[in-house]
Amino acid sequence: MKRTLAVAASLVLLAPWACRGSRDETPAGFEIHPDFSLELVASEPVVLDPVDLEFDERGRVFVLEMPGYPGDEEPVGRVVLLGDGDGDGRYETRTLFADKLAATADSILPYRGGLLVASPPDLLFLEDTDGDGRVDTREVVLGGFSVGNPQHNLNGLNH
């Protein structure tokens, strides 16, 4: 029995594949171990400009989108919560979890029922306290990070 390999970076890395043809074909150049399969689970218009994807402790899928990069200085970063309403393993809905993040927000990490977000100049904690899929709590955990060159900013949150 094949297992599906879910890799956070797959949404970002496989975006060109999603735009080119069949969603059920393995992209050229990929070698998949026989015990695994590679499947596209979300693409446009469900995700737009993705830079990070994380599964939380409840199995929910959050995607950080960076629509303003490069050059937008307005707070246009956002996190969306993906939904698979029909249970087929492909996400067909999105709920705006949080918006007005730094245009260079580039990393999320599930933490204590919410998300840590690298949104320079701040490291934020976002939490949905009433279960509606939208952020209710937005706290600055640490501040003062660089907002200069985006490649040098706070990034790379990981487990």
Side-chain angles (χ1 to χ4, degrees), residues 139-158:
E139 298 175 15
V140 174
V141 177
L142 289 170
F145 293 97
S146 171
V147 293
N149 183 331
Q151 289 79 20
H152 300 164
N153 290 350
L154 167 66
N155 62 54
L157 302 176
N158 62 49

Side-chain angles (χ1 to χ4, degrees), residues 81-129:
L81 175 60
L82 302 185
D84 175 16
D86 59 11
D88 68 354
R90 295 187 186 207
Y91 298 94
E92 65 276 336
T93 63
R94 62 186 272 135
T95 300
L96 181 61
F97 179 74
D99 59 358
K100 298 183 178 141
L101 301 171
T104 55
D106 66 0
S107 186
I108 56 177
L109 180 67
Y111 179 75
R112 297 188 177 188
L115 291 176
L116 291 173
V117 180
S119 182
D122 300 317
L123 174 64
L124 303 174
F125 176 70
L126 307 178
E127 184 179 23
D128 170 17
T129 58

